[in-house]
Amino acid sequence: MPVTHKTLVKSKQGSNAQSQQKPLAAKTAKVVSKKKDEDDGTEIGEGGDEWMHGKTLIKPPDQLDLTEAELKEEFTRILTANNPHAPQNIVRYSFKERSYKPISSVDQLAVHFFLEGNLLHRDSDEARRQKAKQGLPDEKATVVTETEDEKLETPGGGEDGAHSVDSKTGKKEQKLTNQFNFSERASQTLNNPLRERGCQTEPPPRASFSATANQWEIYDVYLEEMQKQEKNKEKAKAVPKKEDDKGKKKLTLVETQSDDLTKVAKVAKIIERMVNQNTFDDIAQDFRYFEDASDEFREQEGTLLPLWKFQYDQAKRLSVTALCWNQSYKDLFAVGLGSYDFTKQGRGMLVFYSLKNSTYPEYNYPTTSGILCLDIHPDRPYLVAVGFYDGCVAVYNLKEERPEPVYKSSSKSGKHTDPVWQVRWQKDDMDNHQNFFSVSSDGRVVSWTLVKSELVFTDIIKLSLVGAVSEGPEGVPPPTMACGTSFDFHKQINYLFLVGTEEGKIHKCSKAYSSQFLETYDAHNMAVDAVKWNQFHPKVFISCSSDWTVKIWDHTIRTPVFIFDLNAAVGDVAWSPYSSTVFAAVTADGKVHVFDLGINKYEAICQQPVVAKKKTKLTHIEFNPVYPIIIVGDDRGYVTSLKLSPNLRSKPKEKKGQELPRGPEVEIAKMEKLLSLLREPENSKGRTESWCQTDYGPQALDFRR
């Protein structure tokens, strides 16, 4: 909108024309101005009348004619800090996304004036050097003088002024507080001294490489790659049907070699373990160093310290049906997942955990049927035998990266017709073939041998309610078959093994005799959930059942030596690897019971619940072969690791200057001492020893002399 310009017309012609048009107004204006000049006492010279005339507005020829409404209309403009000349389309190359990306933030600063200062502080070293170079006097010696006007203004005349000058010259000049290096004492804080920490590592190896690439070389590389792929396809077609899996495996290996992620898999696993160790550092410290000092005041009672808790999200709603430690890698253990509720049978899973990483399993193998038992080979830690609910047995090889087992039984290869409750590896046969045994509810104890790419089975014994039954000529089993639920092989005598049945009996069998039992024990009123030989003593074994009892046996005697009632269904029992008199059991009420017969023959020295929810049932327990910890599985798929307090693994105190004997002989002697008190009475020196047992509570033994 154009702006009107105001100009003053100073020419005489303009004033005369104005005076001619309005003579009366001009005369009155002159009279008024003369009166004002007279009152003010000022005189106006000639030509003063010209400046007293009115101002007129001259309209430019190109100005628009606007109405009153348009003139009164307001236009608002908002001032912003954005630079209108700043470019808005700047792009930069992103190496992450490999493309050009626009930059959102643009510099809006516009510098209108810039001047480098050359001021120096007068007390600084640079200022003193320049003064000395230019020969200027020091300003501290200058005297402040006052001007005459200031002397007149000060009351008291010149004497006071002179006195003030003397006082100023006599005193030292005070240091101003607003200098650049000023800071109040109250605001000063102690600055922590800076510390430098450095580490030096060996530089990574370097190698200089130089080559030239042209179209011919690139073309040759592509041709070689295509030829490799064609050869692999031809090999896959030439392989017969039985070896289709191996051909597929070779193809997958060729493909994975080109994948960059496989190169960092091992490094990523190590970093993941380091992160987990830092996250659960308090648990790792407790596992390594914590010893419960309060055990000294508990009178031979102990506690269990919870450590890591293992869980896999894909294994939810599955129960822990099997646990087994790896004998070669002491921190690795296998977990079998399935279901004991036979109305809700479905999938299962084989999972391997390590104490170094509790958040995610090392290996996991999903299965179509629920797993009920497993066992890791003692000499070949990569072989795992598994028994399923559908009667199959399988062998997994951890070295081969595929979800299917390398061996699996079928209906043609003599698989069980009922769930497989227990599998155990045995020593290699005469031909150096690996073999393992299995027991099932169909009453068969079967030996499985790994021959080339298939499992070869051999029936060792068939259980019946009357006795062992050998294979008839027609091969039809009798209708009165007993259901095997658990078994275990002797630690020193290879051919001797025990079998627990669903009817509550335990049979002592031999591999050499398939037609009869060596001994039968009326053990429990319900199914035998577990039977295990002692780690040290060759005559002792232990059994547990859902009838709430745990019993310890001498296999030369038909009656139990110890009976313990735990007031709940017992899921599993295990001997400790460090003592012949220590064992632990888990019950359906969520408690772990630890016994040491050398300390207390009547009740547990530790009885502790280890689950959060009351309805959770504990199913299995295993001792670590080296570390003082146990792992416990429940019916919700969780595995909890617990550390034994010093009282639960106490050893006899050493006397000064006397070393205690160590080794398996000492443990055998400890158990033999207990058994000598409980065997059949023998008349010696006119004294008799007798024992009686009852079925009421943990105090099942009464010693009388």
Side-chain angles (χ1 to χ4, degrees), residues 224-249:
E224 290 179 1
E225 185 66 24
M226 290 178 65
Q227 290 175 0
K228 286 182 181 179
Q229 293 180 0
E230 290 177 358
K231 288 182 181 179
N232 291 329
K233 289 180 181 179
E234 292 176 358
K235 288 181 181 179
K237 291 179 181 179
V239 172
K241 294 182 178 179
K242 292 183 179 179
E243 297 182 4
D244 282 342
D245 294 336
K246 293 185 179 180
K248 291 180 181 178
K249 181 190 173 185

Side-chain angles (χ1 to χ4, degrees), residues 268-281:
K269 181 179 286 188
I270 295 173
I271 293 174
E272 183 184 10
R273 289 181 176 181
M274 294 171 62
V275 171
N276 278 283
Q277 186 174 357
N278 292 334
T279 305
F280 304 102
D281 181 64

Side-chain angles (χ1 to χ4, degrees), residues 72 119-120 123 147 243 288 398-399 412 458 495 535 556 582 584 596 633 644:
K72 292 181 179 180
L119 296 179
L120 295 174
D123 293 337
T147 59
E243 297 182 4
R288 184 68 180 87
L398 301 184
K399 288 185 176 181
K412 294 181 180 180
T458 305
Y495 60 84
Q535 302 277 355
T556 60
V582 177
D596 189 348
L644 303 169

Side-chain angles (χ1 to χ4, degrees), residues 425-559:
W425 285 101
Q426 289 297 295
K427 293 183 179 179
D428 298 349
D429 58 9
M430 301 295 292
D431 298 328
N432 292 327
H433 292 151
Q434 296 87 27
N435 67 96
F436 64 94
F437 284 67
S438 65
V439 65
S440 171
S441 296
D442 60 3
R444 297 166 57 206
V445 177
V446 183
S447 172
W448 302 90
T449 305
L450 280 62
V451 180
K452 293 184 178 180
S453 60
E454 62 180 355
L455 287 174
V456 178
F457 77 99
T458 305
D459 286 343
I460 299 299
I461 198 170
K462 291 189 177 181
L463 308 175
S464 70
L465 299 178
V466 180
V469 177
S470 60
E471 186 72 23
E474 298 179 357
V476 179
T480 58
M481 295 298 294
C483 300
T485 56
S486 59
F487 76 128
D488 192 26
F489 284 85
H490 200 279
K491 307 302 179 186
Q492 289 85 23
I493 307 172
N494 295 330
Y495 60 84
L496 193 63
F497 64 95
L498 298 168
V499 180
T501 63
E502 193 174 337
E503 292 76 22
K505 295 183 179 181
I506 298 176
H507 303 293
K508 183 169 66 173
C509 308
S510 173
K511 296 180 185 177
Y513 299 99
S514 61
S515 60
Q516 62 181 358
F517 301 135
L518 300 180
E519 193 71 68
T520 299
Y521 309 93
D522 292 329
H524 298 277
N525 298 322
M526 298 179 69
V528 180
D529 292 331
V531 56
K532 295 181 180 179
W533 287 99
N534 192 283
Q535 302 277 355
F536 300 95
H537 201 284
K539 295 182 179 180
V540 178
F541 67 90
I542 193 170
S543 65
C544 69
S545 172
S546 299
D547 63 357
W548 298 10
T549 59
V550 173
K551 297 183 181 181
I552 298 177
W553 305 76
D554 183 344
H555 79 89
T556 60
I557 305 174
R558 286 195 174 187
T559 54

